[in-house]
Amino acid sequence: MSNTAQSLAGKRIASLLDENSFVEIGGYVTARSTDFNMQQTETPGDGVITGYGVIDGNLVYVYSQDASVLGGTIGEMHAKKIAGLYDMAMKMGAPVIGLLDCAGLRLQEATDALNAFGEIYMKQTLASGVIPQISAVFGTCGGGLALVPALTDFTFMEGKKAELFVNSPNALDGNTKEKCNTAAAAFQSEEAGLVDFVGTEDEILAGIRELVTMLPANNEDDMSYEECTDDLNRVCADLANAAGDTSILISNIADDNNFVEVKAAYAPDMVTGFIRLNGTTVGVVANRTEIYDEEGALKESFESVLSARGAEKAAQFVTFCDAFEIPVLTLTNVTGFKASKCSEKKIAKAVAKLTYAFANATVPKVNVIIGKAFGSAYVAMNSKAIGADMTFAWSQAQIGMMDAQLAAKIMYADADAKVINEKAAEYAALQSSAAAAARRGYVDNIIEAEDTRKYVIGAFEMLFTKRDDRPSKKHGTV
C-alpha cells in the first residue's frame, strides 16, 4: 500500500473493509499533465486511492478520493483509475463503492479531465443493473460530480460537513446558503430524494457494510443468502397494531427483526428496504399512514393515499430489485391518490412508473393487503392484475372500488340514512370484503395478521424457481 493510504481517504477504506484486506491498485499513478507547471506538483495516486478488499468475506472494489491532493479534483489519470476499477469489478462481478470528497474537475487539465469524467459516467452506465454501485459523500460533491452518486444504486452522505449539489445554493436565483442550503444532507435526503442514508462518518461506513451483506454480488451470482436461525413459523403477536407504521411491521416479520430501510427521510408515506426471510434477501415496499418514535409516541401521520414522491421512490426500488433478482414483498393499505395541485402535476406519470415497475418485474412477487385496497391505487400496488404471484389479505382487509359508505351514497343518492347504511353493509359484504375478493380469485388466501411471517416465507419458498417469459423487446419506454 502506498503512502497515500495513510491519508484520511485511506483511513476511510481501512475502516470500511475487513481488517488488512485492502489491496491497492495504481498507487504509483500520478498526473501526466505538464501545463501550468503541473510537473512541479506532487500528485500521489492522482488524488484517488483505488483497490479491492472484502466486507464480511464479500469481495468489493473501492475508490476513495483524497482531498489532500489538489483538493481531490478529477484529472485524466484520476478518472482512468476509477474507470479501470469498474472494468475489473465488471469482470469479477463484484460491487463498486465510491467514497467521494472532491473539489470538482481539475482546471489545469481541462478537456483531458472532462473527457475522462465522461468515461466514469459511461462505466457507471454499463455497470448499472449488473453489479451494485454504492457511493458515500464525505466532503464536497458538486457540479458534474453530483451525477456520480445519482448514477449509483444507493447513496450515503455525512450529515454535517458534506455538500452535494449541481448548482451551489448561492447560485440559485433568490436563494442563499443561509436561506436554504440545497447542498446539505437534509435537503438532498428529504426533498431531493437523492440520498438514501445520512449519518456520521462511522455510521456511514457501518451502514455500507450492512448493506453490502444484504445485496447479491451481481445480477447472476446470488450471494445474498445466509443461514436462518429465526423460527420460520414465528407468530408475530399484535402485528395488526403495526399496520399504520409499516416500518415496525416489516421489522417484526423479518429474520431476527432486522430491516434496512432505504430513503427513510424521503416520501415517508412509502416504506422501502431490505429484510431477510428464511435467510434470503427480500425487497419490501409498503404504504405507511403513521410514524412512531422510539418511545411509541405518534410522530407523524399521513392519508392512506399514493403520492407522486412515494410512487417514484417505490418504482425505483422495485426496478433495482428486479435487476438483481431480489424477490419483492408488498404490504398494501391505500385508498386512492393524493389530491393537491402540486401532486396533480406528477401523480399520473409517477403511478404509471410504479405500475410499470411492478408489472415489468419478473422476480417472485407477493402482496399482503393489510388494510384498505381501493381503486386504481390498489391496482398499482402489486395487485394480482399486474403480476403478483401470490396475494394474501388480512381477515379484516377491505378490497374494492371504494369505501362501502361512499359507494352507497353514490348509488342511492336520494335515500335516507337508514337505507344508505343498509346498502353500505350489503356493498361491503358483496364487493369490498376480503372474502368477496377471494371468491373472485383476486386474493389467494385470507390470513390472520399474526401469521404473516410464515405465509410469506412459504410463498417465496414456493416461488424460488419462478420463470416468467415476456415479449421480446429491447426495453420498455415508461
Side-chain angles (χ1 to χ4, degrees):
M1 192 180 298
S2 71
N3 291 334
T4 58
Q6 305 306 314
S7 66
L8 179 57
K11 291 177 182 177
R12 286 170 179 155
I13 292 178
S15 298
L16 173 67
L17 302 179
D18 292 355
E19 189 174 2
N20 297 322
S21 72
F22 181 62
V23 178
E24 187 172 5
I25 301 171
Y28 295 94
V29 170
T30 58
R32 294 196 312 160
S33 175
T34 59
D35 292 349
F36 303 101
N37 297 317
M38 276 286 290
Q39 71 273 19
Q40 298 179 13
T41 303
E42 291 290 329
T43 57
D46 203 37
V48 63
I49 304 170
T50 55
Y52 62 92
V54 295
I55 291 178
D56 197 22
N58 300 290
L59 175 66
V60 295
Y61 290 83
V62 186
Y63 68 89
S64 181
Q65 293 177 318
D66 188 352
S68 69
V69 179
L70 294 176
T73 52
I74 295 182
E76 175 198 15
M77 300 307 293
H78 180 123
K80 285 187 179 300
K81 286 179 67 176
I82 296 174
L85 194 75
Y86 265 92
D87 287 338
M88 188 168 290
M90 289 284 280
K91 289 177 184 178
M92 300 308 298
V96 172
I97 302 169
L99 309 181
L100 307 175
D101 188 352
C102 173
L105 283 173
R106 190 173 300 161
L107 297 178
Q108 296 94 326
E109 299 190 31
T111 52
D112 287 336
L114 194 62
N115 181 74
F117 206 19
E119 290 178 358
I120 297 177
Y121 294 160
M122 186 64 177
K123 297 299 183 183
Q124 287 188 278
T125 301
L126 293 175
S128 182
V130 180
I131 55 174
Q133 299 179 69
I134 299 170
S135 57
V137 182
F138 293 105
T140 303
C141 182
L145 187 63
L147 273 64
V148 170
L151 283 167
T152 61
D153 299 306
F154 302 101
T155 300
F156 293 73
M157 188 171 176
E158 194 276 331
K160 294 183 178 180
K161 298 178 181 178
E163 293 187 313
L164 176 58
F165 57 90
V166 174
N167 297 294
S168 67
N170 293 335
L172 304 178
D173 288 343
N175 189 57
T176 63
K177 188 173 183 178
E178 292 70 28
K179 184 176 181 181
C180 179
N181 188 0
T182 53
F187 182 89
Q188 291 297 331
S189 60
E190 297 169 14
E191 297 297 325
L194 178 57
V195 172
D196 296 276
F197 307 93
V198 175
T200 64
E201 193 156 317
D202 289 341
E203 288 171 342
I204 287 172
L205 297 174
I208 294 174
R209 287 182 60 87
E210 182 179 30
L211 182 60
V212 166
T213 60
M214 277 281 191
L215 301 178
N218 55 65
N219 64 337
E220 294 180 346
D221 186 16
D222 185 5
M223 300 293 287
S224 58
Y225 176 83
E226 67 177 24
E227 194 67 30
C228 176
T229 57
D230 199 350
D231 182 2
L232 304 186
N233 296 312
R234 173 164 53 83
V235 173
C236 303
D238 299 322
L239 196 66
N241 293 332
D245 193 342
T246 42
S247 65
I248 297 174
L249 192 163
I250 294 165
S251 297
N252 282 337
I253 66 172
D255 291 356
D256 303 314
N257 305 118
N258 185 32
F259 173 42
V260 179
E261 188 172 355
V262 176
K263 293 193 193 308
Y266 183 71
D269 55 293
M270 184 71 79
V271 180
T272 57
F274 299 105
I275 62 174
R276 290 189 188 277
L277 291 173
N278 193 17
T280 299
T281 295
V282 173
V284 188
V285 175
N287 305 117
R288 175 162 55 187
T289 58
E290 297 172 329
I291 297 179
Y292 289 88
D293 61 22
E294 294 179 357
E295 283 72 41
L298 182 63
K299 182 180 177 182
E300 194 173 358
S301 60
F302 316 96
E303 294 181 272
S304 56
V305 294
L306 277 182
S307 67
R309 284 185 172 187
E312 289 177 341
K313 170 181 171 178
Q316 181 182 0
F317 182 78
V318 171
T319 299
F320 173 84
C321 290
D322 187 48
F324 288 95
E325 296 294 338
I326 299 172
V328 175
L329 169 66
T330 47
L331 305 175
T332 300
N333 180 21
V334 65
T335 58
F337 305 113
K338 186 173 182 178
S340 70
K341 183 177 179 181
C342 182
S343 176
E344 197 64 20
K345 297 176 184 178
K346 299 178 64 178
I347 189 70
K349 189 64 177 177
V351 177
K353 287 181 178 180
L354 178 62
T355 304
Y356 182 86
F358 277 125
N360 191 55
T362 58
V363 294
K365 294 174 287 187
V366 174
N367 187 18
V368 181
I369 300 169
I370 62 172
K372 296 179 179 180
F374 291 158
S376 301
Y378 155 58
V379 175
M381 275 295 296
N382 192 30
S383 65
K384 187 168 283 290
I386 62 169
D389 299 297
M390 287 292 292
T391 299
F392 300 102
W394 287 359
S395 56
Q396 299 304 312
Q398 299 177 50
I399 306 157
M401 180 63 71
M402 62 180 67
D403 178 78
Q405 195 75 19
L406 179 59
K409 288 180 179 179
I410 294 173
M411 291 190 295
Y412 300 91
D414 298 325
D416 58 26
K418 180 181 178 181
V419 172
I420 287 178
N421 288 335
E422 290 175 352
K423 293 301 180 182
E426 182 180 359
Y427 188 92
L430 293 175
Q431 290 288 342
S432 62
S433 67
R439 283 193 292 269
R440 291 168 169 80
Y442 304 136
V443 168
D444 294 299
N445 204 350
I446 299 173
I447 65 175
E448 295 305 317
E450 63 187 17
D451 295 325
T452 301
R453 173 175 163 82
K454 72 176 183 180
Y455 274 102
V456 295
I457 287 176
F460 282 122
E461 287 289 300
M462 179 272 292
L463 293 166
F464 183 74
T465 56
K466 175 186 174 182
R467 299 291 182 270
D468 197 349
D469 294 328
R470 294 299 177 93
S472 177
K473 58 182 176 180
K474 188 174 182 180
H475 57 71
T477 60
V478 177

